[in-house]
């Protein structure tokens, strides 16, 4: 029986879930995989937390040297999140020849090249399935299930907190603040929700997935990012009337070597499978040139779902004679010409204007002069003379053209404000 010693850095939600899976399924892994995986050390300041999970206090430490100096430990799983001290500890572990398993998307998206360089020196492994889409095996799908393909597109809901909030706004008519408060009470959103609601979390994940899929570094700075904190429930309601559902989508495309990557709230047709992904669930489409579309669906967060991905990596790592290298992750030379500078999409535009004759004609003439075809238009009976709400849905148009048109529309006398502009992803 092959013995594998593991260290867990941190016993928060996912660390605790990982400990639970490793303990309850230890015998099962012995039987089915011939691997005896034992937790040999835990780095945790809160001894009470460790004891409450049933961890023997003799293996609880606070100093990383207790892990790096222990020859029985082969694999180090990290749960601190954020950059420091995770980065320093993982580099030390790699330099000591230990393979690492992590759910830390921020660290991985920002410092992958540094981790890869340290791992290469000692031949240690880097495993990060849990960093993207929680318990859903998306990394393994890209790495192994789709290796016969050029991956051309990744599109999906990869943040559960924002999907929970947008679902509550859409299905229950909640306002943003109310839905966020509920997400916090349920433990989806953090006390400081910025990383989720402003799209940073999804940006880290789409950067990792795109880098892996395209064998080319797609740094977070090249992912255009927009969060959901400014989404008005009015647009979700109007969008529904027009047959659309709002989702925070991460979209990444690679067409003939030109990459486009972004995270933004967009409308998808309500008949699209992504529209029916509700609450805190995640779902991702992967498009390969041979396999066509694959859709993965499941829980993108939580102690046991993310713990499942961590343990899966630990077991996978334990079975490897040598570890996969990521030479492209070391390539920091990412140049602007690799990226698309303009996007083509349909757009939803909501304007507020005075209720006077000719205002619609003025707006449509700006759109006409920019060759922007209107697919749908909606105006409700104005609530007052100075507040007519007008919504346009355009045909496919370049983002730069729509932005120029919007600037001109803003300067039309009768138009008070451009209230909302969203892409429509079909
Ligand atoms: N905060 C993330 C989410 C889970 O809401 O999806 C961990 O990445």
């Amino acid at each position: 029986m092959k013995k594998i010693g593991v260290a867990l850095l941190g016993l928060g939600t996912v660390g605790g879930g990982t400990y639970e899976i490793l303990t309850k399924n230890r015998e099962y892994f012995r039987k089915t995989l011939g691997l005896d995986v034992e937790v040999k050390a835990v780095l945790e300041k809160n001894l009470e937390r460790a004891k409450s999970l049933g961890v023997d206090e003799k293996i609880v430490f606070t100093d990383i040297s207790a892990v790096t100096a222990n020859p029985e430990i082969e694999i180090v799983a990290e749960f601190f999140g954020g950059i420091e001290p995770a980065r320093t500890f993982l580099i030390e572990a790699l330099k000591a020849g230990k393979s690492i398993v992590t759910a830390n998307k921020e660290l991985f998206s920002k410092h992958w090249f540094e981790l890869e360089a340290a791992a290469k020196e000692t031949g240690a492994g880097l495993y990060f399935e849990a960093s993207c889409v929680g318990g859903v095996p998306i990394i393994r799908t890209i790495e192994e299930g789709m290796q016969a393909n050029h991956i051309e597109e990744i599109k999906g809901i990869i943040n559960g907190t924002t999907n929970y909030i947008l679902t509550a706004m859409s299905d229950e008519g909640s306002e943003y603040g109310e839905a966020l408060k509920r997400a916090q009470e349920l433990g989806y959103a953090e006390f400081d929700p910025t990383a989720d609601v402003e799209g940073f979390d999804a940006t880290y994940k789409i950067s990792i997935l795109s880098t892996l899929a395209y064998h080319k570094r797609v740094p977070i700075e090249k992912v255009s990012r927009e969060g959901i904190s400014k989404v008005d429930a009015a647009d979700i309601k109007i969008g529904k009337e027009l047959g659309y559902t709002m989702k925070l989508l991460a979209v990444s495309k690679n067409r003939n070597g030109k990459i486009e990557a972004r995270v933004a709230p967009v409308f998808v047709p309500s008949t699209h499978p992504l529209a029916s992904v509700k609450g805190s669930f995640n779902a991702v489409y992967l498009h390969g040139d041979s396999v066509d579309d694959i859709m993965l669906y499941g829980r993108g967060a939580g102690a046991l779902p993310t713990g499942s991905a961590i343990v899966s990596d630990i077991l996978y790592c334990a079975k490897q004679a040598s570890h996969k290298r990521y030479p492209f992750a070391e390539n920091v030379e990412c140049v602007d010409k690799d990226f698309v500078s303009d996007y083509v999409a349909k757009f939803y535009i909501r304007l507020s204007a005075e209720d006077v004759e000719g205002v619609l004609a003025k707006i449509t003439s700006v759109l006409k002069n920019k060759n922007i075809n209107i697919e749908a238009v909606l105006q409700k009976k104005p609530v007052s003379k100075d507040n007519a709400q007008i919504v346009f849905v355009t045909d496919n148009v370049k983002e730069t053209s729509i932005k120029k048109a919007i600037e001109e529309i803003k300067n039309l006398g009768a138009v008070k404000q451009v209230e909302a502009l969203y892409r429509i992803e079909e």
Side-chain angles (χ1 to χ4, degrees):
M1 178 84 59
K2 187 171 178 190
K3 284 185 178 296
I4 302 293
V6 171
L8 307 182
L9 309 190
L11 277 183
T13 308
V14 181
T18 299
Y19 184 78
E20 183 184 332
I21 299 170
L22 285 173
T23 318
K24 80 171 178 199
N25 288 347
R26 184 167 172 190
E27 195 46 41
Y28 176 65
F29 300 146
R30 286 161 65 106
K31 267 200 212 135
T32 56
L33 302 167
L35 293 173
D36 186 23
V37 183
E38 187 180 357
V39 178
K40 295 275 189 187
V42 164
L43 229 59
E44 175 59 57
K45 285 190 183 134
N46 184 346
L47 194 57
E48 289 315 307
R49 164 76 179 156
K51 282 198 212 159
S52 74
L53 290 165
V55 180
D56 181 348
E57 61 183 288
K58 289 207 275 308
I59 65 160
V60 182
F61 306 95
T62 51
D63 191 333
I64 189 67
S65 62
V67 172
T68 49
N70 185 341
E72 291 187 334
I73 293 171
E74 264 184 53
I75 301 172
V76 175
E78 181 266 323
F79 307 99
F80 292 143
I83 305 297
E84 289 297 350
R87 171 172 161 264
T88 303
F89 286 5
L90 290 182
I91 297 278
E92 282 182 36
L94 290 167
K95 289 192 166 159
K98 322 240 178 251
S99 291
I100 62 168
V101 171
T102 183
N104 192 334
K105 57 251 159 196
E106 182 179 4
L107 176 69
F108 220 78
S109 59
K110 293 181 179 170
H111 294 280
W112 187 350
F113 65 96
E114 192 185 358
L115 294 166
E116 171 59 23
K120 202 165 87 174
E121 270 179 40
T122 57
L126 295 182
Y127 295 89
F128 47 98
E129 178 66 75
S131 66
C132 299
V133 204
V136 177
I138 189 164
I139 306 274
R140 205 88 74 228
T141 301
I142 291 176
E143 284 285 276
E144 298 187 1
M146 294 186 75
Q147 53 192 339
N149 293 263
H150 287 94
I151 297 178
E152 293 170 341
E153 191 165 333
I154 306 168
K155 173 158 78 182
I157 297 162
I158 59 176
N159 181 272
T161 305
T162 46
N163 202 46
Y164 174 85
I165 294 171
L166 292 176
T167 304
M169 291 174 79
S170 181
D171 289 5
E172 294 154 38
S174 307
E175 292 294 331
Y176 170 77
E178 192 186 333
L180 168 62
K181 191 160 169 278
R182 208 142 18 104
Q184 284 170 319
E185 283 160 4
L186 287 168
Y188 297 136
E190 309 273 341
F191 173 70
D192 175 358
T194 312
D196 289 318
V197 301
E198 298 303 349
F200 290 101
D201 176 82
T203 301
Y204 301 147
K205 293 169 181 168
I206 200 71
S207 154
I208 296 171
L209 294 174
S210 306
T211 298
L212 204 59
Y214 309 148
H215 308 281
K216 204 178 211 176
R217 246 190 106 222
V218 179
I220 52 174
E221 299 75 29
K222 291 291 180 190
V223 181
S224 111
R225 176 189 55 80
E226 193 186 324
I228 64 161
S229 61
K230 295 195 175 61
V231 171
D232 189 329
D235 292 302
I236 294 188
K237 193 159 173 268
I238 299 167
K240 262 174 127 176
E241 287 176 37
L242 292 165
Y244 297 113
T245 301
M246 187 175 284
K247 293 289 175 193
L248 182 79
L249 278 202
V251 181
S252 158
K253 298 178 185 174
N254 183 5
R255 299 275 190 266
N256 306 318
K258 288 270 190 194
I259 295 170
E260 133 183 17
R262 58 194 150 83
V263 169
V266 301
F267 280 117
V268 295
S270 297
T271 49
H272 192 286
L274 286 175
S276 57
V277 176
K278 307 245 178 186
S280 63
F281 275 88
N282 286 192
V284 187
Y285 266 88
L286 297 166
H287 183 88
D289 63 348
S290 305
V291 72
D292 205 340
D293 281 337
I294 288 176
M295 184 173 168
L296 300 171
Y297 171 85
R299 292 198 180 273
L304 293 179
T306 311
S308 159
I310 292 276
V311 174
S312 154
D313 266 356
I314 291 174
L315 300 170
Y316 187 88
C317 171
K319 287 185 284 181
Q320 305 306 305
S322 64
H323 300 287
K324 183 180 167 74
R325 297 270 60 95
Y326 297 97
F328 51 88
E330 285 186 89
N331 171 18
V332 289
E333 296 301 321
C334 224
V335 287
D336 284 346
K337 71 172 176 46
D338 290 335
F339 294 89
V340 170
S341 56
D342 202 357
Y343 310 120
V344 173
K346 292 185 174 181
F347 287 88
Y348 164 105
I349 311 161
R350 177 165 63 92
L351 310 162
S352 54
E354 286 169 31
D355 179 24
V356 289
E357 63 276 8
V359 63
L360 262 179
K362 283 185 190 161
I363 299 166
T364 52
S365 113
V366 172
L367 295 173
K368 178 184 167 290
N369 290 340
K370 296 263 176 298
N371 297 319
I372 298 172
N373 188 29
I374 301 166
E375 209 173 67
V377 61
L378 183 77
Q379 189 194 336
K380 295 271 169 79
K381 193 168 180 329
V383 276
S384 66
K385 245 347 219 174
D386 65 351
N387 189 7
Q389 297 286 310
I390 309 166
V391 172
F392 294 96
V393 173
T394 73
D395 206 341
N396 275 321
V397 53
K398 283 190 171 180
E399 190 182 40
T400 44
S401 304
I402 199 80
K403 289 206 163 143
K404 278 186 200 148
I406 294 284
E407 282 314 305
E408 281 187 33
I409 289 170
K410 273 186 190 164
N411 293 327
L412 295 174
V415 172
K416 289 171 60 194
Q417 208 161 321
V418 176
E419 305 282 353
L421 176 68
Y422 292 110
R423 267 182 287 263
I424 296 174
E425 191 71 42
E426 303 218 285

